[in-house]
Amino acid sequence: MMGEIDSCTRLTGLFGHPVGHSLSPLMHNRAFQELGLPYLYAAFDIEPSNIASAVESIRALGLRGVNVTIPHKVAVMPFLDEIDEEARQIGAVNTIVNENGRLIGYNTDGRGYVQSLIEEGNINPPDARVLMLGAGGAARGVSLALLRAGVERVVITNRTYAKAEQLAVELTQLFPGRDIRSIPVEQIACEIKESTLLVQTTSIGMHPDNEASPIPAEYLHSRLLVSDLIYNPLQTRIQRDALAAGARIHSGVGMFIYQGALSFEYWTGRKAPVHIMREAVLASLTADK
Ligand code: NAP
């Protein structure tokens, strides 16, 4: 399956814990193969207590770079030489690039999301009136990227209201002059009427809870694009409810593919073969069913 591995092969990979179910190795190796690039992507299961030496090993072993996932996205930061501005604002790194021993941290999650939203959701960010469900790590990256892309209005709601409030305050400091607010979940019914983009960032509806939805179906309306970060299942309950209400939907699989595509481009300097990456991921997700 892989191209030839020889003494010129450059190694990339994933630092996480666990990493057993990740689709990143499949997606990146297919992309390297497609372009005939002498790269290999491996999954490294790193215990939290080993994260400092794991980052040091990128230098020692001359890895070209790695993706970083749960639970290491924040923990790697003190061991890097440089952190890009966007990753600093998000407060987490998902991509490390080794530039001749100098380790640079980036975060491609939010940008990957926005790129997929524009390509697949057919949305012009400055026109979108965003209601965001959830205020966890993914919500932070995605809301920042939406604001960086020109979104004027972001309303955040979350089960734990204090977290929505805190995120709205931090975003307002970074983007003064934009309409950024938090609301308690009881106000969703009214707020959603004014919204055109619903971004679902909670873990509600994720496999195996395929029938769960964070909001009642009757709140959804036909002027909405319902974007769910979840990609397993490929279509979530809220998205099925959205289609029934005449709304459009956007799947989280695009975010996964584009965040990987941006990492790929940092490491190889080549444009990522997004269609091949998508094909590999979708084939694997549908084969699992
Ligand atoms: P996280 O930091 O743990 O945040 C989880 C969020 O879900 C919080 O807002 C939490 O609310 C909310 N939540 C969880 N259970 C809930 C419940 N029973 N009722 C109400 N709210 C609940 O996780 P994350 O990293 O942000 O990830 C969130 C989702 O995004 C996951 O499903 C993940 O798979 C998906 N994701 C997708 C991609 C992609 O590439 N497509 C990338 C990253 C994440 P509280 O604050 O009240 O706990």
Side-chain angles (χ1 to χ4, degrees), residues 179-239:
D179 181 5
I180 303 168
R181 287 176 288 125
S182 57
I183 56 160
V185 288
E186 295 75 27
Q187 291 177 21
I188 293 176
C190 288
E191 196 65 45
I192 201 168
K193 292 183 182 148
E194 304 293 318
S195 307
T196 58
L197 173 59
L198 181 69
V199 187
Q200 198 307 101
T201 77
T202 78
S203 37
I204 301 172
M206 206 158 82
H207 179 78
D209 280 330
N210 296 22
E211 289 309 314
S213 170
I215 57 170
E218 58 267 26
Y219 287 6
L220 300 166
H221 58 76
S222 61
R223 299 178 308 284
L224 278 176
L225 173 65
V226 176
S227 172
D228 198 331
L229 267 53
I230 293 173
Y231 58 86
N232 188 11
L234 274 170
Q235 206 171 82
T236 56
R237 171 69 190 271
I238 193 175
Q239 291 179 315

Side-chain angles (χ1 to χ4, degrees), residues 126-147:
D127 299 336
R129 300 171 63 81
V130 178
L131 175 59
M132 179 162 298
L133 307 179
R140 193 180 169 84
V142 162
S143 53
L144 254 160
L146 284 167
L147 289 160

